[in-house]
Amino acid sequence: MKSIREVINEVLHAEMARDEAIVVLGEDVAGGMTTEGAGGFGGAFGFYSGLYERFGSERVIDCPISEASFVGAAVGAAMTGLRPVIDLQFFDFMTVCYDQLANQMAKLRYMTGGQFKLPLVMISLVGAGLRAGAQHSQSLHPPVVALPGLKVVTAADAYDAKGLLSAAIRDDDPVIFLLHKTLLEEKAEVPEEDYQIPFGEARFLAEGDDVTVVATLAMRRKAEAACARLAAEAGIAADLIDPRTLSPLDVEAIAESVEVTGRLLIVDESTPCCGIAQEIASAVAQHCFEWLRAPIRVLSTPFTPVPFSPALEDLYLPTERQIENSVRALLADESASVLR
Amino acid sequence: MSLQASNRPTESEAQVDLLESFRALYRIRHFERLVKREFEQGNIPGFTHLYLGQEAVAVAACAHLDERDYLVSNHRGHGHALARGCDLVAIFAEILGRAGGLCKGKGGSMHLADAVRGFLGCNGIVGAGAPLAVGAALTAKRRGEGGVSVAFLGDGASNEGVVFESLNLAVVLRLPVVFLFENNQYGEATPARYAVGAESIAERAAGFGLKATRFDGTDYLTAHATLGEIIHYVRESGAPACVEADVVRFEGHYVGDSQRYRSKRDVAAAQAERDPVARLEQLILERGVGEADALAAVRAAVEKEVEGAYLTARRQPFPEPAELFRDIYATDVGGPILPRGRSLGQGEVVP
Ligand SMILES: Cc1ncc(C[n+]2csc(CCOP(=O)(O)OP(=O)(O)O)c2C)c(N)n1
Ligand SMILES: [Mg+2]
């Protein structure tokens, strides 16, 4: 059993040993530069432990706290032949380098008629639950999913994290690789050998004909528990789908499930406006309307900033119980059956 | 700073082929005059920013660069692309949005780029080229072949936060990058003397711990010597540097700018006294490097070349519709993978 944090570190070690073009850029990815403790930090979450000691300061590069410049530099380095891995600690900080994401990283290949490849990966954390307050708890994946040119990957367990990060690093396009900060220590069975999970292939965590539940990151973990209970207590069988990559997004797999179940619940932690849940709902409504037996349900956070107080943050986050109740309500809802 | 070049060539000046330099300057000059003319006639789509008055800077910088080096340009980048030796027809075709453009017509005037020449592109976001150049310098440093990267930036860009960050990052990581600020005295309609809080851009950059100098960018030999020295320093030391070139923007910010914020008399005076093309011509005559008819021959040849390239580019087809969907990703795709091959935003639309 290995944690997400452990496999991220292992993949980085293995990939950097395999490919000399890989460099790591970020704040404190080594730590302690110019002191005797140089390298003793390994990134804010330990993803980069031991890399500085093993690969040196030419490849594990501590940057000043200036995200716009080092994210932009990673883009320039990728255009000229390196394969940068960028650490962006908290994805809330994407706002201070959004030009580099939206106008540079996402578009330079297209604007130059395909003259450049941009093989880079940005690793960052999203999500609430750690009482980190409104600027360290957001799920800001929608603004990057909206950008043609970027690929956006999420990993909710160590198995996915290993295969998806390895694939991301080997991919020739810019990949935003998002982890949930409450899941880093979650352990799972992980094969020893090296493997890559292809992008655009949703994962089915449970299979059933009654209802389709789509959930991402921490919400997937809650949905796993909720679906297990629904099966055990009420005999409700759900297709539980984690899209894993949000761009490309495997709507096809979701649609195939909805064709059987006729009922769709989507659970995601971003705000309830312009999010991935809304994107999936819209695609299913446009393309699979005739299969639906009930209106699509979306369970997301409320339209508020993430609150700090534990009492409020617990209220803010969708719970296992809410997922269960949503599934039950969806199954009881026959309002669209007339369409069939 | 002296505006008058001395009449006697120094040793390094003796290396400069003045007539060939004149040809390079005049190629940009005529190119931009043509773009202005055609734009005003409605033959060129989009936004366009002319390099008129700044020709000496790009040509002098590129004279010291080779195939190991990288360049990043800005929205006023036609001159940079020409000086780097990008194909004339392909540049025109790009500006015209044609299939044979440098970027297959998907970039336009503000996004010329040429990978094989290490030209990472013009950029429509003011200041955004600075960190790209820092990254290219990181690659150059890892290659260890003595390559450098040059970011062409304006006086307006010098106030962007990402530029300050990039100056610092380049110093901290000790990367071979030249931040070349072309101070043409304006960012759109706002004078640099208003918007640059410091005495000079170079002086302010020096505060970041870079070697920094300022020179008259309308005098070709001064530009050639100063940029040669700076690029040599960066190549040899591996450390970054900053240069500020004083130039005059002969035209409006973009073609069509009525320039009510600028006195016509000042512009006329600058065009008379600080025209890099005229100054180089004068120097060639004074030094006896060439006669008036030799210069006239160069001008005629360049005009023919440029006009011909434009006509060739205009005969090119526009990109085929499938190009809309190409070059977004290097491998597979992004976005929603919809059932039964339907595509996003296109599903129900019948052309
Ligand atoms: C981030 C950003 N802000 C504003 C603009 C609009 N804009 C385009 S060019 C320009 C002036 C830039 O001035 P300078 O850097 O001096 O370059 P110059 O046009 O004089 O060559 C402005 C404000 C932009 N393109 N990008
Ligand atoms: Mg300017």
Side-chain angles (χ1 to χ4, degrees):
Chain A
M1 300 278 272
K2 279 180 182 158
S3 70
I4 290 185
R5 192 181 46 70
E6 284 168 315
V7 299
I8 296 294
N9 185 246
E10 280 181 21
V11 169
L12 288 167
H13 271 276
E15 293 296 317
M16 288 187 77
R18 184 186 58 79
D19 187 347
E20 287 227 318
I22 300 170
V23 296
V24 176
L25 290 160
E27 289 152 25
D28 308 310
V29 290
M33 295 307 291
T34 74
T35 73
E36 277 186 15
F41 199 66
F45 309 103
F47 295 152
Y48 310 92
S49 264
L51 295 175
Y52 172 84
E53 289 86 337
R54 185 165 170 197
F55 301 106
S57 62
E58 293 278 294
R59 295 184 62 194
V60 182
I61 304 169
D62 264 355
C63 296
I65 307 166
S66 54
E67 292 78 5
S69 69
F70 70 74
V71 174
V75 174
M79 290 171 86
T80 48
L82 297 183
R83 303 183 74 89
V85 172
I86 315 163
D87 184 67
L88 191 73
Q89 296 192 346
F90 292 86
F91 203 54
D92 307 70
F93 310 157
M94 60 92 90
T95 54
V96 298
C97 55
Y98 198 58
D99 178 55
Q100 282 62 43
L101 291 166
N103 284 320
Q104 313 303 329
M105 196 187 283
K107 297 183 174 48
L108 285 173
R109 178 174 175 79
Y110 190 77
M111 289 197 305
T112 60
Q115 291 183 73
F116 295 94
K117 282 192 304 195
L118 285 106
L120 62 84
V121 181
M122 172 183 276
I123 300 178
S124 192
L125 300 188
V126 297
L130 287 189
R131 321 316 193 191
Q135 296 171 336
H136 288 73
S137 303
Q138 296 168 89
S139 292
L140 287 177
H141 45 282
V144 281
V145 174
L147 296 168
L150 298 184
K151 293 175 180 172
V152 183
V153 175
T154 66
D157 68 24
Y159 174 82
D160 285 346
K162 179 170 174 177
L164 288 166
L165 182 60
S166 175
I169 291 174
R170 296 176 189 205
D171 200 280
D172 277 341
D173 291 308
V175 179
I176 311 299
F177 188 88
L178 300 173
L179 298 166
H180 197 283
K181 60 177 77 68
T182 63
L183 301 181
L184 298 184
E185 299 308 327
E186 296 275 313
K187 293 197 187 264
E189 285 300 337
V190 180
E192 269 310 310
E193 73 277 6
D194 177 68
Y195 60 97
Q196 287 78 39
I197 297 173
F199 294 171
E201 288 187 13
R203 176 168 169 196
F204 282 68
L205 293 133
E207 293 192 20
D209 293 348
D210 296 328
V211 59
T212 304
V213 178
V214 175
T216 62
L217 289 164
M219 293 302 123
R220 172 192 126 187
R221 307 304 295 255
K222 290 186 180 179
E224 281 178 85
C227 289
R229 214 161 30 236
L230 285 165
E233 290 173 9
I236 296 170
D239 262 353
L240 173 55
I241 303 175
D242 179 353
R244 301 194 289 202
T245 62
L246 304 183
S247 183
L249 177 66
D250 191 0
V251 178
E252 198 167 19
I254 298 167
E256 276 164 19
S257 169
V258 170
E259 185 171 12
V260 175
T261 64
R263 297 173 194 278
L264 174 62
L265 168 69
I266 312 155
V267 199
D268 179 69
E269 219 187 290
S270 60
T271 74
C273 290
C274 303
I276 197 74
Q278 289 66 29
E279 184 56 49
I280 293 169
S282 144
V284 170
Q286 279 188 71
H287 300 294
C288 318
F289 190 66
E290 65 274 23
W291 298 333
L292 290 171
R293 292 165 192 250
I296 299 164
R297 285 191 181 232
V298 169
L299 183 55
S300 65
T301 52
F303 192 61
T304 70
V306 185
F308 162 69
S309 168
L312 296 178
E313 192 181 39
D314 290 346
L315 204 58
Y316 172 89
L317 281 170
T319 61
E320 281 174 38
R321 180 65 62 195
Q322 283 173 318
I323 297 173
E324 259 183 78
N325 290 344
S326 296
V327 169
R328 287 176 194 274
L330 189 54
L331 283 165
D333 188 344
E334 288 296 332
S335 60
S337 294
V338 287
L339 294 170
R340 300 195 41 112
Chain B
M1 177 176 50
S2 132
L3 291 183
Q4 211 54 56
S6 122
N7 222 2
R8 206 155 20 89
T10 63
E11 200 183 324
S12 88
E13 286 175 15
Q15 316 278 324
V16 183
D17 183 336
L18 290 180
L19 220 48
E20 276 314 300
S21 305
F22 175 73
R23 185 188 303 279
L25 261 67
Y26 193 72
R27 187 180 284 118
I28 300 174
R29 172 63 50 99
H30 194 72
F31 181 99
E32 294 292 56
R33 283 198 303 225
L34 184 157
V35 168
K36 180 170 187 242
R37 178 188 85 205
E38 294 296 315
F39 192 92
E40 284 169 349
Q41 287 174 16
N43 293 329
I44 295 180
F47 299 162
T48 194
H49 308 84
L50 302 178
Y51 198 63
L52 292 168
Q54 306 182 201
E55 296 89 342
V57 181
V59 174
C62 290
H64 302 287
L65 300 175
D66 59 42
E67 69 282 357
R68 293 168 294 177
D69 301 326
Y70 299 107
L71 294 85
V72 188
S73 166
N74 60 3
H75 56 283
R76 201 176 296 287
H78 303 168
H80 306 146
L82 286 162
R84 183 58 170 173
C86 302
D87 182 72
L88 194 53
V89 174
I91 298 177
F92 271 135
E94 188 56 40
I95 291 172
L96 289 162
R98 304 299 163 122
L102 278 176
C103 307
K104 305 186 194 163
K106 296 192 206 181
S109 163
M110 274 194 284
H111 304 292
L112 306 173
D114 193 353
V116 295
R117 289 183 176 76
F119 189 65
L120 307 192
C122 307
N123 210 297
I125 306 299
V126 168
L132 298 177
V134 172
L138 182 67
T139 303
K141 181 180 181 177
R142 288 227 44 219
R143 291 232 163 87
E145 294 163 359
V148 305
S149 85
V150 178
F152 289 93
L153 299 155
D155 49 283
S158 82
N159 301 318
E160 279 283 1
V162 71
V163 174
F164 294 133
E165 287 190 17
S166 298
L167 292 169
N168 185 58
L169 185 63
V171 172
V172 170
L173 301 183
R174 197 174 171 88
L175 296 175
V177 46
V178 179
F179 298 93
L180 202 182
F181 292 97
E182 295 182 83
N183 185 343
N184 62 8
Q185 305 170 12
Y186 285 91
E188 289 184 354
T190 298
R193 64 170 180 276
Y194 168 82
V196 176
E199 269 304 306
S200 78
I201 295 166
E203 183 182 287
R204 182 167 66 185
F208 282 85
L210 295 89
K211 180 183 173 84
T213 64
R214 185 175 187 178
F215 68 95
D216 177 6
T218 68
D219 177 51
Y220 183 73
L221 284 181
T222 304
H224 187 275
T226 311
L227 288 165
E229 193 186 312
I230 284 287
I231 290 168
H232 178 77
Y233 162 81
V234 169
R235 213 185 278 295
E236 294 305 308
S237 69
C242 163
V243 255
E244 176 176 3
D246 284 299
V247 289
V248 181
R249 194 188 76 199
F250 275 17
E251 295 289 328
H253 171 59
Y254 52 89
V255 183
D257 176 2
S258 61
Q259 297 199 79
R260 272 179 310 213
Y261 51 87
R262 221 174 156 193
S263 117
K264 289 207 169 43
R265 212 162 358 102
D266 290 354
V267 177
Q271 289 186 351
E273 289 156 30
R274 302 193 62 204
D275 178 344
V277 177
R279 292 185 72 185
L280 185 54
E281 265 180 332
Q282 203 188 336
L283 187 78
I284 288 169
L285 295 173
E286 278 169 15
R287 293 231 173 130
V289 175
E291 302 292 323
D293 51 354
L295 287 169
V298 170
R299 279 198 297 268
V302 165
E303 286 169 23
K304 189 162 171 242
E305 176 197 14
V306 172
E307 299 282 340
Y310 177 70
L311 291 178
T312 306
R314 274 202 69 173
R315 281 194 294 270
Q316 282 189 9
F318 285 105
E320 54 174 293
E323 276 301 330
L324 175 62
F325 300 100
R326 287 193 192 127
D327 302 324
I328 307 169
Y329 295 95
T331 58
D332 65 51
V333 292
I337 303 168
L338 296 179
R340 296 189 301 263
R342 298 191 203 186
S343 64
L344 190 71
Q346 300 277 319
E348 268 65 58
V349 183
V350 182

